[in-house]
Amino acid sequence: MSFKSLGLSEALLKAVAKKGYTKPSPIQEQAIPPIIDGRDVLASAQTGTGKTASFTLPLLHYISENPKKKIRPIRALILTPTRELAAQVYANVKDYSAFLDLKSAVIFGGVNQRPQIAALRSGVDVLVATPGRLLDLHGQKAVSLKRVEIFVLDEADRMLDMGFLKAIESVINLTPNRRQNLLFSATYSKEIKRLAHTILKEPIQIDVTPENSTVKAIAQMVYRVAKSKKTALVIKLINDGNWHQVLVFTRTKHGANRLAKSMANSQISASAIHGNKSQNARTKALKDFKSGKIRVLVATDIAARGLDIPLLPHVVNFELPNIPEDYVHRIGRTGRAGAQGEALSLVCTEELDYLKSIEKLIDLKLSKTIIEGFEPQPDEATTPPKQGQNRNRRHRNAPSNNVKKHSKSNNNQRSKRRRNTSN
Ligand code: AMP
């Protein structure tokens, strides 16, 4: 399939070619046509799948093909959980709209608001924003969302993890009732389903995560190991491989602390991030990790989800997650279109059931290695470990009742679904 066959305009095809993309990724193939059709979309896709282009390209297509005369109200609003993501999405919007007569802006907290207000005053078609600063500027009457036609919630699960539910609701209340809604989330928790149900109208559901080719492109390896030897093994792997940026997942907060301490005792600089650490401590640990000040970041699943962790060459599952979908999230932190990443899992006998569930979900038998001196013990427990903090969390559930599978809608339906199409 080509980008052209998805129905994108020449100006967008040119921008896509300039970026060097030769063909659409699976999420782009599935999301672009219905979004151009004006449908609401609920998409499950993680970073690295090309999700940003999957909503940005069709929204730019729609706005540029249906121009407003003279005035420039904000017609598309993209809400992201973090500043880093807002900046990244904005960079994409700029790149893809290079050959269009459209204006875009990004607003987020922590920086001087004056240039943002000035940009808004000069007229903006597409706004990328984090919720806090957006509401703040709205309070100052510096921004109006009354003419928004397309509303995108990016990384909705992370938004909820970061406590933005109320802020999202407030932002939505500032937009017209008739709008196209696009909700992107890496997982479908109960909360996400509830949110999707309140925001989306007859959405098309797109799910590319488990059978995603990116996941299969990541080199995945299992080390069968004695439970008591896991710490020594991960230290050996880091030292032997001379790895400098490793994200290690544990199932519990205490496990994360213990492991970070053991690493430090072995002269490997490490920090732990988990739910008991303040946002400031987490942000600092992440900053040190990104800058190379520390080599290892030990994280629990929930903590990792609230942070903008870059894609890395090495991800280690010190313990397997008891929710198979979490494995997909974890390893999604490594590798990216083109770049190979490596995901290693240290698996002791009691985790074999978890491993089976994961292999079933990803539809892949993972290759298993045993390193001399670290062999699993024959007398080790075979029952799954005690519940970790994450156990009663999200499952990739069946979509809610109002979710429909993708079907092509015609142009009449499109114009009915669109809201403020008049100039
Ligand atoms: P995202 O999932 O949106 O964070 O995108 C992940 C990376 O893939 C970004 O660096 C994009 O520039 C890149 N990308 C997006 N779409 C494509 C494509 N069709 N072909 C190649 N790379 C792409």
Side-chain angles (χ1 to χ4, degrees):
M1 188 172 278
S2 66
F3 276 105
K4 193 168 182 159
S5 64
L6 298 179
L8 295 169
S9 67
E10 283 302 321
L12 288 167
L13 294 177
K14 206 168 142 190
V16 161
K18 195 175 164 205
K19 289 282 280 182
Y21 305 166
T22 50
K23 63 184 189 66
S25 68
I27 180 86
Q28 290 161 3
E29 271 180 23
Q30 292 177 60
I32 290 174
I35 297 176
I36 289 180
D37 277 350
R39 299 294 308 260
D40 278 13
V41 162
L42 172 60
S44 160
Q46 9 162 218
T47 300
T49 54
K51 70 178 170 67
T52 315
S54 77
F55 59 76
T56 307
L57 290 170
L59 77 79
L60 290 173
H61 175 91
Y62 172 74
I63 290 176
S64 56
E65 295 289 302
N66 300 275
K68 296 262 177 200
K69 302 212 177 83
K70 292 187 192 131
I71 49 162
R72 275 190 193 275
I74 294 166
R75 300 177 64 193
L77 172 64
I78 304 168
L79 219 50
T80 74
T82 63
R83 297 166 195 178
E84 293 91 339
L85 186 61
Q88 200 180 304
V89 171
Y90 175 61
N92 278 267
V93 172
K94 292 288 277 180
D95 286 349
Y96 302 139
S97 58
F99 305 104
L100 296 172
D101 177 26
L102 287 183
K103 285 177 78 173
S104 51
V106 60
I107 58 177
F108 49 74
V111 292
N112 189 343
Q113 63 177 35
R114 259 189 250 143
Q116 300 178 352
I117 294 175
L120 290 165
R121 278 215 187 103
S122 69
V124 167
D125 302 282
V126 180
L127 181 67
V128 185
T130 54
R133 177 58 64 94
L134 179 63
L135 289 170
D136 191 0
L137 293 185
H138 184 270
Q140 299 177 44
K141 302 209 176 345
V143 61
S144 165
L145 303 175
K146 283 190 184 143
R147 307 291 293 275
V148 166
E149 294 165 57
I150 305 172
F151 173 66
V152 185
L153 205 53
D154 192 14
E155 304 208 354
D157 44 359
R158 232 208 273 190
M159 292 256 194
L160 297 191
D161 284 349
M162 293 172 79
F164 282 143
L165 179 61
K166 281 255 152 17
I168 295 169
E169 288 168 348
S170 303
V171 170
I172 290 174
N173 285 337
L174 302 174
T175 65
N177 278 335
R178 289 187 67 213
R179 24 159 240 273
Q180 182 180 12
N181 301 288
L182 313 175
L183 192 152
F184 283 71
S185 181
T187 45
Y188 296 139
S189 62
K190 252 197 222 131
E191 292 74 22
I192 289 292
K193 281 172 72 186
R194 206 175 299 134
L195 185 68
H197 195 76
T198 57
I199 300 178
L200 305 173
K201 297 189 186 84
E202 298 183 349
I204 281 167
Q205 192 204 344
I206 297 166
D207 189 343
V208 296
T209 313
E211 44 303 293
N212 168 8
S213 56
T214 326
V215 169
K216 287 190 179 162
I218 295 165
Q220 299 170 66
M221 168 98 77
V222 166
Y223 285 98
R224 283 283 287 115
V225 57
K227 189 174 181 181
S228 58
K229 302 254 171 85
K230 280 190 174 190
T231 303
L233 179 57
V234 71
I235 288 170
K236 175 182 162 55
L237 291 170
I238 291 170
N239 280 333
D240 288 0
N242 197 19
W243 297 345
H244 283 277
Q245 227 182 12
V246 197
L247 179 61
V248 180
F249 283 98
T250 61
R251 212 164 29 231
T252 66
K253 300 172 202 176
H254 293 307
N257 282 341
R258 260 199 313 270
L259 186 58
K261 246 192 214 142
S262 306
M263 299 252 178
N265 289 341
S266 302
Q267 273 69 52
I268 297 175
S269 49
S271 281
I273 52 167
H274 51 66
N276 285 0
K277 300 242 171 179
S278 69
Q279 187 64 41
N280 277 351
R282 292 194 236 177
T283 310
K284 182 178 180 311
L286 180 68
K287 197 169 148 227
D288 290 347
F289 184 55
K290 278 180 173 172
S291 70
K293 203 165 152 190
I294 55 167
R295 283 169 78 183
V296 180
L297 193 62
V298 188
T300 57
D301 293 279
I302 292 181
R305 286 165 62 75
L307 288 174
D308 239 342
I309 293 173
L311 289 171
L312 303 160
H314 307 285
V315 168
V316 175
N317 295 308
F318 184 76
E319 288 147 338
L320 284 182
N322 46 327
I323 297 168
E325 284 83 354
D326 280 346
Y327 175 84
V328 178
H329 280 288
R330 290 178 177 189
I331 70 164
R333 304 285 188 177
T334 184
R336 184 185 271 263
Q340 260 286 348
E342 196 177 35
L344 307 178
S345 301
L346 311 192
V347 180
C348 62
T349 306
E350 63 181 23
E351 292 172 298
L352 288 175
D353 279 350
Y354 292 165
L355 182 60
K356 258 194 217 142
S357 310
I358 289 165
E359 289 181 328
K360 198 167 157 214
L361 176 75
I362 61 174
D363 194 22
L364 209 62
K365 278 264 171 237
L366 300 177
S367 79
K368 293 156 192 90
T369 306
I370 295 176
I371 294 191
E372 215 185 315
F374 297 88
E375 297 87 352
Q377 300 296 309
D379 55 345
E380 253 178 35
T382 52
T383 46
K386 222 169 83 202
Q387 275 193 201
Q389 57 178 19
N390 307 340
R391 182 161 264 194
N392 49 11
R393 264 194 320 125
R394 64 202 136 73
H395 282 273
R396 182 178 311 280
N397 290 321
S400 58
N401 293 340
N402 67 336
V403 170
K404 292 214 172 110
K405 282 281 171 198
H406 180 186
S407 68
K408 275 231 153 116
S409 60
N410 62 28
N411 285 349
N412 287 347
Q413 278 171 309
R414 172 208 351 215
S415 45
K416 263 190 248 152
R417 283 172 205 287
R418 291 276 178 197
R419 260 116 258 163
N420 307 323
T421 45
S422 60
N423 285 326

